[in-house]
Each structure stands twice: as C-alpha cells, then as structure tokens.
C-alpha cells in the first residue's frame, strides 16, 4: 500500500488562480455586454426591416415587381444585364434554392431518403 499523498502547495496556487479568474468574471461580463450592445442595436435595426413579413400595403409593389420580372423575361431584357448584376441575381436565386432544401430537410427531420 502506498503512503498517503501530501499537499505540495500546487493545489493552493491553483485555487488562488481560480479565485482570481472568478473575481474577474463580473468585469469580463460587463465588458462583453458593452461590446455587444452596439452590434445588437445594428442587428435589431436591420432585423426589424428585413425579417418582417410583407404587409398588405406591400402587395401592389410585389405584384409590380413580379410583372416587371415576367415582362423582362419575355422581352429578353435579361440579356442586357451587367456581369455584376447577373452574378448577384444568380447568387440570390441559389440562396433561395438552398434555403428551400434546408427547410425540406428540417421538415423531414433527416437527410435520409434524399437523392444526394
């Protein structure tokens, strides 16, 4: 049987280090809140505008946008887009498709059953 271990002083230094860390926690939390406050305000400003569903007053503008889209597709106006505009349009379309598939996977509950 081995003799019992004696306290060597390292546990005391660890406990004082831990006490120092615990003492700094309120100040660290305050600094974190102060740093996050302007970013949260900016996020909320844009979230109120971008993440709200369309109101009934927005319906005529949506209908006008859709009719313009159909008209430009019929007349071939999409051929006159710049490369930058075409790239942005393609990326927006890809984003819509990706979010659709992510929603499908979330709704189904798994990736199993999809032809990937």
């Amino acid at each position: 049987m081995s003799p019992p271990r004696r306290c060597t002083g390292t546990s005391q230094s660890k406990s004082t280090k831990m006490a120092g860390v615990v003492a700094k926690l309120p100040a660290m939390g305050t600094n974190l809140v102060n740093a996050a406050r302007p970013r949260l305000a900016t996020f909320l400003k844009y979230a109120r505008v971008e993440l709200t569903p369309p109101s009934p007053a927005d319906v005529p503008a949506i209908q006008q946008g859709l009719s313009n889209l159909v008209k430009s597709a019929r007349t071939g106006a999409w051929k006159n887009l710049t490369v930058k505009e075409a790239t942005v349009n393609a990326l927006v379309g890809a984003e819509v498709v990706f979010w659709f598939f992510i929603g499908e996977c979330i709704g189904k509950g798994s990736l199993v059953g999809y032809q990937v």
Side-chain angles (χ1 to χ4, degrees):
M1 186 177 251
S2 61
R5 292 187 178 175
R6 299 190 184 233
C7 184
T8 59
T10 56
S11 63
Q12 286 179 348
S13 65
K14 287 181 184 178
S15 64
T16 48
K17 286 181 184 179
M18 187 57 106
V21 169
V22 170
K24 292 179 185 178
L25 281 177
M28 290 169 59
T30 304
N31 289 340
L32 178 69
V33 168
N34 289 339
R37 192 169 282 140
R39 292 180 181 159
L40 182 62
T42 304
F43 169 76
L44 289 176
K45 180 178 87 170
Y46 289 116
R48 283 188 189 105
V49 175
E50 297 292 331
L51 298 178
T52 58
S55 67
D58 295 335
V59 172
I62 294 170
Q63 288 175 340
Q64 181 66 34
L66 286 175
S67 66
N68 288 344
L69 182 67
V70 170
K71 185 168 58 170
S72 69
R74 285 184 183 160
T75 61
W78 56 271
K79 297 176 188 175
N80 297 327
L81 292 176
T82 64
V83 173
K84 183 177 181 180
E85 291 171 338
T87 303
V88 168
N89 290 343
L91 289 175
V92 168
E95 181 183 8
V96 169
V97 168
F98 292 146
W99 279 114
F100 171 78
F101 286 125
I102 289 171
E104 283 286 313
C105 292
I106 291 170
K108 187 171 184 177
S110 71
L111 287 173
V112 178
Y114 287 102
Q115 300 293 328
V116 268

